[in-house]
Amino acid sequence: MERALASQEVNMAREWVAGKKIESFRVYGVNSLKTLAPSLDDLVGDQIVDLVAQDDARRVDVVCRDHVIAVDLERTGKLAALREAAAWSPAAGTPMPTGRMTFEDGTGLDFREPAKTKRITFAVRRR
């Protein structure tokens, strides 16, 4: 059975990220990053304006002032707010997210999926 993000989950994530400035964005899934330019480092300092779910709610656009990050969550991907965030490390003892965005206020947003096969994809473009 295919799983789509619930509109409540998208709304909660939107409220969590709107107005925050990106400190870092790391993609840990092999082959999950589908664009090389602009680079993930180009996102540092950019402010998130909105988070928009597409009709099927499996695709989410993280809309920033200067960039848009298109996220394809596939069938099982989900968003998880982090009250305290740093770059992921195996020493943390937590499962590796496919991607992690940290914000200047010390919080973050994970893009997670239950399987070890990382299927979530990210594409970054300028606005």
Side-chain angles (χ1 to χ4, degrees), residues 18-127:
K20 294 189 181 204
K21 287 190 177 180
I22 298 171
E23 179 178 72
S24 72
F25 183 41
R26 297 291 171 249
V27 174
Y28 300 104
V30 175
N31 298 324
S32 292
L33 182 60
K34 299 301 181 184
T35 56
L36 296 176
S39 73
L40 296 179
D41 289 339
D42 291 338
L43 298 171
V44 173
D46 207 351
Q47 186 172 22
I48 298 177
V49 176
D50 201 359
L51 190 137
V52 180
Q54 303 304 319
D55 290 340
D56 63 4
R58 280 187 243 137
R59 288 194 38 230
V60 175
D61 288 342
V62 180
V63 181
C64 303
R65 257 192 277 145
D66 299 325
H67 300 88
V68 175
I69 306 162
V71 183
D72 185 345
L73 294 165
E74 277 290 325
R75 294 181 302 264
T76 59
K78 62 184 233 175
L79 308 172
L82 304 171
R83 294 196 184 282
E84 293 181 24
W88 178 83
S89 167
T94 59
M96 179 177 66
T98 304
R100 176 172 287 178
M101 186 178 292
T102 60
F103 305 114
E104 290 181 353
D105 67 358
T107 63
L109 182 68
D110 267 0
F111 301 88
R112 296 182 184 165
E113 50 197 311
K116 290 187 184 227
T117 304
K118 302 303 185 193
R119 295 184 179 182
I120 295 173
T121 61
F122 306 91
V124 181
R125 71 178 193 279
R126 295 195 191 285
R127 278 186 72 180

